[in-house]
Amino acid sequence: MVDIHSHILPEVDDGPKSWDVAVAMCRMAAADGITHQVATPHANDRYHYDRPYLLGLLDHLQKLVGDSPKLGLGCDFHLSYDNLQDALANPSRYAIEGTHYMLVELSNYSVPLQTTDSFLKLGDSGMTCVITHPERNPILRESPQRVVEWAEQGCVIQMTGSALTGFWGERVRHVAQWLLEHDAVHVLSTDAHDTEKRIPVLSTARDAAAGMVGHEVAQALVEGNPRAIINSQPLPYFPRPLTGSYRKGSN
Ligand SMILES: [Fe+2]
């Protein structure tokens, strides 16, 4: 399996606080069958993103863990005005290493109509946006049809695996399942931060997805699609999403 969203570099954001924990996270990922892991430190108001410095840390971590998993660098890119201007001026700075894919996280407090325009602008600069965990966004959770529209426009939708297993509560699980059943999810990732709660494990999410949409699709979400992303290829599983109104779940 390939994990394109994780916080495994020590002391650069709210991920691991030490090299020991960073190494333990990599070992946990490898034991779960994750062969490639993309480290995606935050770039937001709280955490500065210094790519050359982060590449140095990644290199050191790879030496500590050995061959597996293979590590790459990306960014948990927060879509703020300043970040957007910088990404448009330097499209590859925030990309998953060597590819035209970049993670894009939306604000929990406001998802303005211009958001669609921002995705189009990034697309014009050569990047394909991978929208991260819309199921956990309190605004999009109420209007997941917007996520379906972005998928129709060619954005890649990345869901947190643990949303499907109930870690984030029933409401998040419900909308996650709705998006999955509407063919509007392309990748499952761990968004791991530690070895205790937000852990680098994908197999349980893959199995949960298989129970909802079948083994073949589940496998595409953790293997075929994320592997295509790290190789800068088009996604092998990219169905036309189903439209339909969303009815809220309980809680
Ligand atoms: Fe993240």
Side-chain angles (χ1 to χ4, degrees), residues 123-157:
D124 288 345
S125 76
M127 306 310 294
T128 299
C129 294
V130 179
I131 301 171
T132 62
H133 47 69
E135 78 285 356
R136 282 164 43 202
N137 182 295
I139 298 167
L140 296 175
R141 215 158 60 203
E142 302 297 314
S143 53
Q145 293 93 340
R146 292 178 75 185
V147 180
V148 171
E149 285 166 21
W150 292 328
E152 274 179 338
Q153 288 161 18
C155 290
V156 177
I157 310 300

Side-chain angles (χ1 to χ4, degrees), residues 145-228:
Q145 293 93 340
R146 292 178 75 185
V147 180
V148 171
E149 285 166 21
W150 292 328
E152 274 179 338
Q153 288 161 18
C155 290
V156 177
I157 310 300
Q158 177 256 303
M159 185 174 280
T160 308
S162 57
L164 289 177
T165 55
F167 177 80
W168 300 90
E170 176 52 24
R171 199 148 159 188
V172 169
R173 199 204 61 75
H174 185 268
V175 74
Q177 181 165 357
W178 186 88
L179 285 167
L180 194 58
E181 290 175 347
H182 283 72
D183 296 343
V185 179
H186 308 111
V187 181
L188 293 176
S189 306
T190 67
D191 198 359
H193 281 65
D194 54 53
T195 55
E196 306 283 329
K197 290 191 170 126
R198 298 175 68 180
I199 58 177
V201 165
L202 264 184
S203 56
T204 44
R206 176 199 58 205
D207 295 347
M212 296 172 194
V213 289
H215 176 74
E216 209 171 307
V217 171
Q219 197 60 21
L221 302 182
V222 298
E223 169 64 37
N225 276 356
R227 192 171 294 280

Side-chain angles (χ1 to χ4, degrees), residues 7 35 119 121 130 208:
H7 301 262
T35 58
F119 297 147
K121 280 186 184 149
V130 179

Side-chain angles (χ1 to χ4, degrees), residues 4 73-75 91-92 94-104 126-130 154 156 225-236 238:
I4 62 162
L73 186 66
C75 175
S92 62
Y94 300 99
I96 293 176
E97 233 177 322
T99 80
H100 64 277
Y101 292 99
M102 67 179 283
L103 302 189
V104 180
M127 306 310 294
T128 299
C129 294
V130 179
V156 177
N225 276 356
R227 192 171 294 280
I229 287 176
I230 61 170
N231 290 322
S232 207
Q233 307 276 329
L235 303 197
F238 203 85

